[in-house]
Amino acid sequence: EIVMTQSPATLSVSPGERATLSCRASQSVSSNLAWYQQKPGQAPRLLIYGASTRATGIPARFSGSGSGTEFTLTISSLQSEDFAVYYCQQYNNWPSMYTFGQGTKLEIK
Amino acid sequence: EVQLLESGGGLVQPGGSLRLSCAASGFTFSSYAMSWVRQAPGKGLEWVSAISGSGGSTYYADSVKGRFTISRDNSKNTLYLQMNSLRAEDTAVYYCATIMVVVVVAATPAGYFQHWGQGTLVTVSS
């Protein structure tokens, strides 16, 4: 069974600075990886799919990179509305076809 | 605009049953695989079940296999989750979501969750 590990668990960053979130897969998932943002009391929102493609309406300050087992979500200049929990999800490996990471909480420094 | 509206959550005793519904609008429902994803209080996201666009194929997480049944009525644009033999550990917000299928491995489709509903809370407690 594939395991998705996100780091760090909590990231403290000041508004306007860059945030870098990591996601590691226990085995290769090719580029079949998505990132989601979840704010308190809200449903998750798709940010990135295919490891690096922004979903419709997602600002350009969000970017994804990586392939295989190592992935990164970068937010270039943090806005107040970006402080949230971020999840990665792989969709490559059978039978664990929909596996999420445990999440990274991005908080204001 | 895609809209997904879950309903049917509530308080149920251990061993009881509940049926969740997800009313879809703004897209061609029958063309999309659909899924249920849950989130226990203060915890992360967990995939629960998925169903093909036609409803002919269904998939379950090991944690719910044999207890939960996913189904859909394409004439009503509605997705369902029948939950039986409920346990305390099933307590969670249940979200329905559209699946953008990207890969098929061992006849199992998978992809990312493109659109999400607002969720419905299921509490299993005596």
Side-chain angles (χ1 to χ4, degrees):
Chain A
E1 179 181 338
I2 192 167
V3 177
M4 307 299 292
T5 303
Q6 292 186 241
S7 61
T10 303
L11 182 62
S12 299
V13 183
S14 300
E17 293 189 340
R18 174 189 298 260
T20 302
L21 289 67
S22 296
C23 176
R24 174 177 292 177
S26 59
Q27 56 190 281
S28 176
V29 299
S30 185
S31 294
N32 294 318
L33 184 109
W35 289 94
Y36 303 87
Q37 176 194 66
Q38 187 178 33
K39 297 179 182 179
Q42 296 186 18
R45 177 174 72 147
L46 176 68
L47 296 176
I48 301 283
Y49 61 90
S52 61
T53 303
R54 280 189 303 275
T56 302
I58 301 304
R61 65 180 181 272
F62 291 90
S63 63
S65 63
S67 66
T69 62
E70 300 285 342
F71 300 88
T72 300
L73 174 68
T74 302
I75 311 170
S76 60
S77 178
L78 280 164
Q79 307 296 304
S80 57
E81 62 267 27
D82 299 335
F83 293 95
V85 179
Y86 292 84
Y87 295 94
C88 63
Q89 176 237 334
Q90 70 85 18
Y91 46 95
N92 187 78
N93 288 53
W94 183 87
S96 307
M97 299 303 285
Y98 306 93
T99 311
F100 290 94
Q102 82 281 14
T104 290
K105 181 179 181 180
L106 181 58
E107 63 177 26
I108 301 174
K109 188 176 182 180
Chain B
E1 179 191 2
V2 172
Q3 289 195 340
L4 299 169
L5 185 62
E6 301 94 337
S7 61
L11 175 63
V12 61
Q13 292 187 339
S17 299
L18 211 55
R19 188 176 86 153
L20 306 183
S21 300
C22 172
S25 61
F27 65 103
T28 304
F29 182 66
S30 60
S31 296
Y32 283 81
M34 296 292 296
S35 186
W36 290 96
V37 177
R38 69 184 180 183
Q39 186 170 38
K43 302 298 184 181
L45 301 169
E46 179 191 16
W47 172 71
V48 173
S49 184
I51 186 168
S52 62
S54 67
S57 299
T58 57
Y59 312 90
Y60 299 93
D62 287 344
S63 58
V64 306
K65 199 172 295 182
R67 300 188 298 122
F68 289 12
T69 302
I70 191 171
S71 62
R72 64 192 296 160
D73 186 337
N74 287 343
S75 68
K76 295 182 178 180
N77 288 353
T78 303
L79 174 72
Y80 303 100
L81 185 67
Q82 177 67 43
M83 304 185 294
N84 298 330
S85 303
L86 282 162
R87 306 166 180 166
E89 54 264 36
D90 296 319
T91 295
V93 174
Y94 284 73
Y95 298 100
C96 66
T98 62
I99 302 173
M100 180 58 71
V101 175
V102 176
V103 297
V104 178
V105 179
T108 304
Y112 53 89
F113 304 106
Q114 190 171 25
H115 300 287
W116 297 67
Q118 87 293 344
T120 187
L121 176 61
V122 173
T123 303
V124 184
S125 175
S126 55

